[in-house]
Amino acid sequence: MAPLNRDDVAKVAQLALLNLDDDEIDRFTGQLAAVLDRAAELEAFDIADVPRTAHPYPLVNVFRADVAEESDDVRAEALAAAPEAEDGQYRVPPALGEEP
Amino acid sequence: MSTTDAPVTTTEPSVLPDGWELVVGLEVHAELATETKMFSPARNTFGGEPNTNVHPVCLGLPGTLPVVNAKAVELSIRIGLALNCTVQRCVWARKNYFYPDMPKDYQISQYEEALNVDGWLALASGSTIRIERAHMEEDTGKSTHMGASGRIHDAGYSLVDYNRAGVPLIEIVSKPDLRGPEQAKEYVEELRAILVAIGASDGKMEEGSLRVDANVSVRPTGADELRTRCEIKNVNSLRSLGRAITYEARRHVELYGAGERPIQETRHWDEEGGRTRSGRSKEEAEDYRYFPDPDLVDIDPSPGWIEEIRASLPALPQARRAALIEVGAGAEAAAIAVERQLDGLAVAAIEAGADAERVLTHVANNLAVDGAESLDAGQFADLVRMEMSGALTATQAKQVLADMVESGRDPATIAADRGFEAMDSSELETMLDEIIAANADEWSRFCEGENKLQGFFTGQIMKATKGQADGKVIAQLLAAKKNA
Amino acid sequence: MSQTEGLGPVHDIAAAVRAGERSAVEVLDEHLARIDARESELHTFNHVMADEARAAASALDEAVAAGADVGPLAGVPVALKDNMCTRGTATTCSSKILDGWVPPYNATVVERLAAAGAVIVGKTNLDEFAMGSSTENSAFGPTRNPHDPSRVPGGSSGGSAAAVAAEFAPLSFGSDTGGSIRQPAALCGVVGVKPTYGAVSRYGLIAFASSLDQIGPFSHSVADAALALSVVGGPDPRDSTSIPEPLPDLIGSLGEGVEGLRIGLIDELSGGALDGFEPAVLDRTTAAADALTAAGAKVDTVSIPSTVAGLSAYYMIAPAEASSNLARYDGVRYGLRHDGPNTASMMAASRTAGFGDEVKRRIMLGTYALSAGYWDAFYGRAQRVRTVMIREFDAAYADFDALISPTSPCVAFPLGAKADPMTMYLNDVCTIPSNLTGQPAISVPYGADDAGLPIGVQVLAPLRGEATMFRVAQALENARRSEEEA
Ligand SMILES: [Mg+2]
Ligand SMILES: [Zn+2]
């Protein structure tokens, strides 16, 4: 695995919608590289046929009944928290590009 | 039925220049007919005041957690079984990308392990289209762009409504098995008919509860390579689907013709312009970082549950057409009968001994009316039998049938009331003798072989009987007299 | 109140208030007075809910007067980590991006506490979005350790740990993703519990890493912690990962002792493989093992090799989940917005201004671990190592009823002493394994170093093994008490 470089960090910051200046990119590159270097110890494990664990407590088929819960007040409280709202809708600057 | 990789064909005339073949795969999103959303107890209803069908969960408020709607899972399994899929244990995955209509800035979907895989859908026109997968996911909200107010600095803005956010969706992905715009439209129509028949979705394309994206590419006829495809979005009707596919395929052929090649991208159908436009093709930026959603556990449908759902499925359009063809119907007639929901009536009447061709002719031509479906199959069969025996002429049968639909009375009674007594041949013979006497010259020419006069004599008898006579019987009489 | 003698202040207060011997308002005022006296020095709270608390307390007193059963936590002042949603009261995660956000709903834990008669006194400080081990990463300034204000209380639930240590409340709740309850409990000299994953509902807990996060109590005694967990735990239909079975009885077996229990001392986490452990910490851990032996348990060392790599697995999995969980803070629906010419630039400006460095680091680390080309090498591999670790612990629990180790390799350190992220991350080597396996663990105060700084010992148990875990913890608490009396 090639060591982490500034370009990787810049690309990742872009994916995560974080604006970093050059100093921040330098600093974060070093700090993240340290974590990734240590993570090389994970390569010591023989995981050839070991499955991944996504949930520490095994459960399947957890469902809810298809029954509606009204919540008018919640709707109002939620909208009240919006940085910008108009006619009961959330207002945002114009979009660039469409939904993938 | 097997899902072999036998080459799919279509009989429709090609929309491409000779030597080019169209290759289309469709991604159909259908909103599921549930009371509430996929993971939240907010109502799943179309339209309504903006942000009225919301709950902390589908607004993605900090700290909220999704819980799966059991009804949505059941409907999705119904769809999987109706599309001959394998229904399997599946994993919820997060598809990560920033989008203001998506409250969590990730969409909960299924990635590696989908609920339904490896199915197929048979088209009335004969081909079988393979289904790659039919997975569950949540819908996004909707934003409306408000145009610039005219002030120089105002580039406009958007208003976001989350009523649709979290509505349960099934995404049905076909293999690239479609070969023409008409076939693609037939596939969507068939899929829609199935979804409606099993009560899984209302399938309203105009309301956006059924949405179609088309992956279009072309290749030299007969080649089995898959060339660069473009995903066409914003196709809002079947008509647009056909136009968009044709436009895009021709664009690809032109590019290849000019020694260029299309780039893989998402393109949007422009209905007015009748063309597709490039969306943003931010290839390198598109990295959805799918991973199993730690807030949700797997769905592992038990064989018992799957069989219970399978047993509850109604007969599907394809099986209903097959049943008609079984009893002697042609493919087209069968398709019409099923489309009109008259296939049950037709099968029963034919099984009751009525002539299949006659039955289907009535279904196709004389039963496009309300109440036809409630017609009594036995009486319908009787009518067809009377018609075949010559007891009623085609014209009379048509009138009696209409009366039957309206009044529900049996054909014999109606025929009697209307005095539709097909007269016996002795009566006709006397009449014919009178007509021959009155037209001796024509008769001798007819006997000498001037066959077109057959129509003249038939017409005379029809006139004399006010159309009550049976054409076949007249023909027999004329032949007998002539050779006497 | 004799039947609660020695069980702890939570038991004492609840019994007195239920019996009408003390009023909830009187109890509350006593605690608010202590808060007034020292809060400006310690900064344990982001928000003290004095008025709401007084209203709740007097309503409770009226109910008692009316002869109502006011619940097992009657009149008990409770402090909540500021990442648990309280309807009508700001919930910030100590982040600028949520500064002033008022949730329109209550966390399940909040509703269960209210139903049990608890009186919520405030929202406590934390490392931003629970990412840290010192509470220095709070956008609103650090919390200080009541035992030595020049030192950190640990983290990320530093505010909740310090609030109990300073007796601002006899009970508080935190969240533990990699040690965020147990490590500050150890550094502040209080009891802290990370229950089995799924034992306490996460509904209303603002997520850091969803497959690791668990809510748990801080208290002065093991019995108080067991009572508090019994109140907030149990199945919740609003959390798909909540365990459907009811919690086992945690109180009845507390006094049963450890006679005949097989207890393993985890070698790798007791100086056997990792360095950086302070001698005093290792000494007290050995002393704890000896005390358990003296109490009749059979104690042996046990090797769980994968625990050494726990930190690396954790720093792939937790940031990966966090990078997705924290995407929703985009300036559209709530929280901080910095505008921009289009949606994407507005979102980026808001996130850049709203998140602190540690949160940005982890979001980027997780985004990287999940991104095309690195998924299998980082996130995927870590999830497989997680399975290996679970198998090794299961094997250990075939031979042992419970395991012990230090809670933290070191005692409370001075503010600013661990500016380098990796140095800070190493504080959690002993606590991270239980989050990866989902198994319960508790930190029990077990003495101090020469400077009088508290040291905690960790007791680990298999999934849903809380009853055994509390029994062992109670035995250690008893041993410590008799040691102190001697
Ligand atoms: Mg798609
Ligand atoms: Zn989709």
Side-chain angles (χ1 to χ4, degrees):
Chain A
M1 190 62 54
L4 184 83
N5 59 42
R6 299 182 88 264
D7 298 351
D8 298 323
V9 173
K11 177 173 173 262
V12 161
Q14 188 198 350
L15 260 177
L17 288 186
L18 295 170
N19 305 327
L20 304 184
D21 60 36
D22 287 359
D23 299 353
E24 287 172 315
I25 293 182
D26 286 331
R27 198 171 76 249
F28 286 136
T29 303
Q31 292 167 336
L32 298 186
V35 179
L36 294 171
D37 291 349
R38 188 186 175 102
E41 72 188 330
L42 297 175
E43 289 160 25
F45 289 82
D46 174 18
I47 50 166
D49 2 75
V50 178
R52 297 191 300 261
T53 293
H55 295 94
Y57 195 95
L59 292 173
V60 293
N61 298 335
V62 177
F63 304 125
R64 46 170 268 270
D66 185 22
V67 179
E69 223 179 79
E70 305 300 343
S71 53
D72 301 25
D73 43 358
V74 166
R75 173 193 321 141
E77 285 174 59
L79 200 62
E84 229 189 322
E86 185 175 308
D87 315 332
Q89 301 195 63
Y90 296 79
R91 178 173 168 148
V92 293
L96 279 190
E98 294 80 3
E99 179 183 12
Chain B
M1 182 124 202
S2 78
T3 76
T4 60
D5 294 5
V8 188
T9 55
T10 177
T11 52
E12 75 193 84
S14 170
V15 296
L16 298 181
D18 281 355
W20 289 98
E21 181 178 52
L22 187 48
V23 177
V24 178
L26 295 181
E27 290 177 14
V28 175
H29 286 83
E31 291 179 351
L32 299 174
T34 54
E35 269 298 301
T36 66
K37 294 184 177 181
M38 182 73 253
F39 304 108
S40 133
R43 290 195 178 283
N44 168 15
T45 47
F46 177 74
E49 280 291 294
N51 295 303
T52 49
N53 300 326
V54 295
H55 178 280
V57 171
C58 52
L59 282 174
L61 296 189
T64 58
L65 295 171
V67 183
V68 176
N69 181 339
K71 181 67 188 277
V73 178
E74 187 207 315
L75 293 179
S76 300
I77 293 176
R78 283 176 82 78
I79 292 166
L81 294 174
L83 295 176
N84 311 289
C85 290
T86 303
V87 180
Q88 61 175 19
R89 176 171 181 150
C90 57
V91 178
W92 294 103
R94 293 186 184 178
K95 181 182 186 181
N96 296 285
Y97 61 95
F98 288 92
Y99 195 62
D101 294 6
M102 201 165 51
K104 303 181 295 301
D105 286 294
Y106 59 79
Q107 179 193 34
I108 304 175
S109 181
Q110 296 175 337
Y111 185 52
E112 278 172 324
E113 293 103 309
L115 177 65
N116 306 301
V117 296
D118 301 331
W120 48 264
L121 185 153
L123 299 180
S125 60
S127 10
T128 295
I129 308 306
R130 291 167 303 160
I131 306 290
E132 188 173 303
R133 56 193 273 139
H135 70 257
M136 304 177 70
E137 60 186 25
E138 57 180 341
D139 209 341
T140 63
K142 274 183 184 166
S143 44
T144 320
H145 182 72
M146 315 300 280
S149 69
R151 281 179 292 115
I152 304 120
H153 300 296
D154 182 359
Y157 59 94
S158 297
L159 293 180
V160 189
D161 169 14
Y162 292 107
N163 278 348
R164 200 184 67 178
V167 163
L169 290 177
I170 187 109
E171 178 177 346
I172 301 158
V173 181
S174 85
K175 295 268 189 191
D177 283 354
L178 296 155
R179 294 291 171 267
E182 292 311 312
Q183 193 178 37
K185 284 154 74 175
E186 187 192 359
Y187 168 87
V188 174
E189 274 176 319
E190 183 69 19
L191 188 52
R192 196 187 155 286
I194 292 171
L195 294 175
V196 172
I198 63 176
S201 175
D202 65 14
K204 290 183 183 155
M205 244 180 137
E206 62 282 9
E207 287 185 9
S209 65
L210 189 85
R211 304 195 283 275
V212 182
D213 303 333
N215 291 307
V216 179
S217 68
V218 300
R219 67 186 173 193
T221 311
D224 55 10
E225 64 178 323
L226 286 176
R227 292 196 176 185
T228 308
R229 61 185 173 82
C230 292
E231 183 173 15
I232 314 303
K233 291 184 174 288
N234 192 38
V235 178
N236 300 321
S237 70
L238 283 177
R239 187 168 165 279
S240 313
L241 177 64
R243 292 178 68 205
I245 290 172
T246 304
Y247 174 90
E248 184 63 15
R250 286 178 177 157
R251 192 181 69 89
H252 286 211
V253 170
E254 275 167 34
L255 282 170
Y256 288 119
E260 300 165 43
R261 43 187 60 257
I263 55 163
Q264 179 158 353
E265 62 177 350
T266 299
R267 296 176 67 87
H268 295 261
W269 173 245
D270 162 10
E271 185 67 43
E272 295 67 36
R275 60 191 299 268
T276 63
R277 297 183 187 284
S278 177
R280 50 109 227 244
S281 66
K282 45 188 209 66
E283 295 316 320
E284 81 288 336
E286 258 175 35
D287 183 348
Y288 296 131
R289 291 157 283 134
Y290 283 98
F291 74 103
D293 192 326
D295 288 332
L296 291 162
V297 303
D298 296 358
I299 299 173
D300 190 5
S302 70
W305 191 24
I306 294 172
E307 288 322 306
E308 192 180 304
I309 293 171
R310 193 192 304 277
S312 75
L313 284 176
L316 300 178
Q318 196 248 348
R320 288 158 61 188
R321 285 194 301 268
L324 266 170
I325 291 162
E326 188 77 4
V327 293
E332 195 160 337
I336 294 169
V338 169
E339 204 180 301
R340 299 230 173 123
Q341 306 293 336
L342 294 175
D343 49 312
L345 172 70
V347 171
I350 293 164
E351 279 169 355
D355 175 75
E357 195 187 333
R358 226 31 234 149
V359 165
L360 290 159
T361 311
H362 281 304
V363 167
N365 306 335
N366 310 330
L367 284 178
V369 292
D370 299 353
E373 61 287 345
S374 52
L375 202 57
D376 176 274
Q379 295 183 352
F380 184 30
D382 292 342
L383 172 89
V384 173
R385 237 182 266 102
M386 290 166 69
E387 191 181 358
M388 297 306 288
S389 72
L392 288 174
T393 66
T395 333
Q396 294 171 334
K398 198 170 161 181
Q399 294 164 24
V400 173
L401 187 55
D403 194 328
M404 286 167 71
V405 173
E406 233 180 272
S407 65
R409 298 185 306 163
D410 68 279
T413 319
I414 297 171
D417 281 13
R418 301 190 165 217
F420 289 166
E421 309 291 347
M423 49 203 61
D424 60 57
S425 33
S426 65
E427 250 179 282
L428 274 178
E429 200 165 350
T430 353
M431 243 184 236
L432 180 56
D433 290 338
E434 288 163 16
I435 291 169
I436 290 173
N439 306 278
D441 174 40
E442 284 79 1
W443 179 251
S444 49
R445 276 157 53 203
F446 176 61
C447 295
E448 281 147 24
E450 201 174 321
N451 288 331
K452 66 171 161 45
L453 284 167
Q454 165 123 9
F456 166 80
F457 284 104
T458 312
Q460 292 293 314
I461 299 175
M462 281 299 182
K463 203 193 294 160
T465 60
K466 301 180 200 65
Q468 306 281 313
D470 185 313
K472 285 195 239 55
V473 182
I474 299 174
Q476 288 158 11
L477 271 175
L478 286 169
K481 284 262 172 230
K482 183 174 154 188
N483 309 330
Chain C
M1 58 195 260
S2 55
Q3 81 280 7
T4 68
E5 201 67 67
L7 290 181
V10 171
H11 280 81
D12 297 343
I13 292 170
V17 170
R18 288 166 64 89
E21 294 161 10
R22 298 183 67 189
S23 83
V25 171
E26 169 198 331
V27 171
L28 172 65
D29 288 339
E30 187 183 296
H31 288 85
L32 290 177
R34 289 203 205 97
I35 293 172
D36 286 342
R38 266 193 102 184
E39 171 61 9
S40 57
E41 173 195 15
L42 301 177
H43 184 220
T44 63
F45 289 100
N46 284 339
H47 180 57
V48 176
M49 298 161 61
D51 301 344
E52 299 92 327
R54 276 214 180 74
S58 45
L60 207 78
D61 289 331
E62 284 162 28
V64 172
D69 177 353
V70 287
L73 295 182
V76 175
V78 176
L80 293 178
K81 190 178 185 177
D82 201 16
N83 61 352
M84 301 178 203
C85 290
T86 43
R87 186 173 192 171
T89 300
T91 301
T92 70
C93 288
S94 290
S95 178
K96 276 187 267 163
I97 211 159
L98 273 180
D99 193 2
W101 179 62
V102 177
Y105 77 101
N106 275 325
T108 295
V109 165
V110 171
E111 292 190 336
R112 291 187 180 179
L113 284 171
V119 174
I120 296 169
V121 293
K123 307 295 294 292
T124 61
N125 196 16
L126 61 144
D127 285 298
E128 183 178 6
F129 281 100
M131 297 177 182
S133 309
S134 69
T135 318
E136 292 168 290
N137 295 335
S138 167
F140 310 133
T143 295
R144 290 167 181 275
N145 192 313
H147 293 271
D148 176 352
S150 73
R151 295 171 182 268
V152 303
S156 65
S157 311
S160 286
V164 169
E167 300 187 351
F168 291 172
L171 179 65
S172 69
F173 286 85
S175 62
D176 188 313
T177 306
S180 285
I181 290 172
R182 293 159 288 161
Q183 183 257 10
L187 272 52
C188 290
V190 298
V191 173
V193 182
K194 196 288 283 188
T196 299
Y197 182 84
V200 179
S201 172
R202 292 185 296 117
Y203 190 77
L205 169 68
I206 299 180
F208 160 13
S210 311
S211 80
L212 303 162
D213 297 341
Q214 262 298 285
I215 290 175
F218 290 93
S219 62
H220 290 286
S221 73
V222 170
D224 281 353
L227 172 62
L229 179 54
S230 321
V231 167
V232 299
D236 179 12
R238 292 184 293 185
D239 177 356
S240 306
T241 62
S242 137
I243 297 170
E245 293 77 27
L247 277 185
D249 169 42
L250 306 177
I251 313 293
S253 53
L254 273 180
E256 286 177 14
V258 292
E259 183 77 55
L261 285 187
R262 302 160 306 164
I263 296 168
L265 173 63
I266 304 175
D267 183 49
E268 288 78 3
L269 303 183
S270 307
L274 293 157
D275 31 326
F277 284 75
E278 292 175 0
V281 168
L282 296 177
D283 293 348
R284 293 308 297 166
T285 309
T286 314
D290 297 344
L292 291 171
T293 308
K298 186 181 178 311
V299 183
D300 281 310
T301 57
V302 57
S303 172
I304 305 182
S306 61
T307 53
V308 174
L311 189 79
S312 288
Y314 175 86
Y315 276 96
M316 292 297 127
I317 295 166
E321 294 181 6
S323 69
S324 176
N325 285 333
L326 272 64
R328 72 190 64 191
Y329 306 102
D330 60 6
V332 174
R333 291 157 300 277
Y334 42 76
L336 184 77
R337 169 182 298 189
H338 276 217
D339 252 308
N342 60 62
T343 310
S345 57
M346 178 277 286
M347 288 178 169
S350 305
R351 293 167 59 78
T352 302
F355 290 135
D357 278 2
E358 184 59 29
V359 173
K360 287 175 180 170
R361 261 192 293 276
R362 300 206 195 185
I363 288 175
M364 288 191 287
L365 186 55
T367 303
Y368 184 73
L370 286 175
S371 61
Y374 302 101
W375 203 99
D376 290 316
F378 293 122
Y379 175 79
R381 179 181 297 272
Q383 290 287 49
R384 295 183 200 279
V385 170
R386 187 179 192 177
T387 307
V388 171
M389 183 181 287
I390 288 170
R391 289 175 177 175
E392 287 183 9
F393 270 93
D394 288 348
Y397 285 121
D399 301 332
F400 297 94
D401 302 299
L403 305 173
I404 62 170
S405 80
T407 304
S408 162
C410 60
V411 297
F413 46 92
L415 274 76
K418 301 191 175 184
D420 166 56
M422 182 50 83
T423 314
M424 184 68 83
Y425 297 167
L426 287 165
N427 285 293
D428 296 331
V429 285
C430 302
T431 46
I432 276 171
S434 311
N435 299 89
L436 289 171
T437 61
Q439 294 159 352
I442 184 172
S443 180
V444 191
Y446 206 70
D449 68 1
D450 299 342
L453 293 169
I455 289 170
V457 169
Q458 178 175 229
V459 180
L460 305 83
L463 290 175
R464 305 197 70 227
E466 274 87 351
T468 312
M469 176 189 83
F470 278 118
R471 264 174 76 189
V472 176
Q474 183 66 61
L476 288 175
E477 183 176 292
N478 299 344
R480 192 196 78 235
R481 284 197 183 144
S482 36
E483 209 181 285
E484 284 164 1
E485 282 149 20

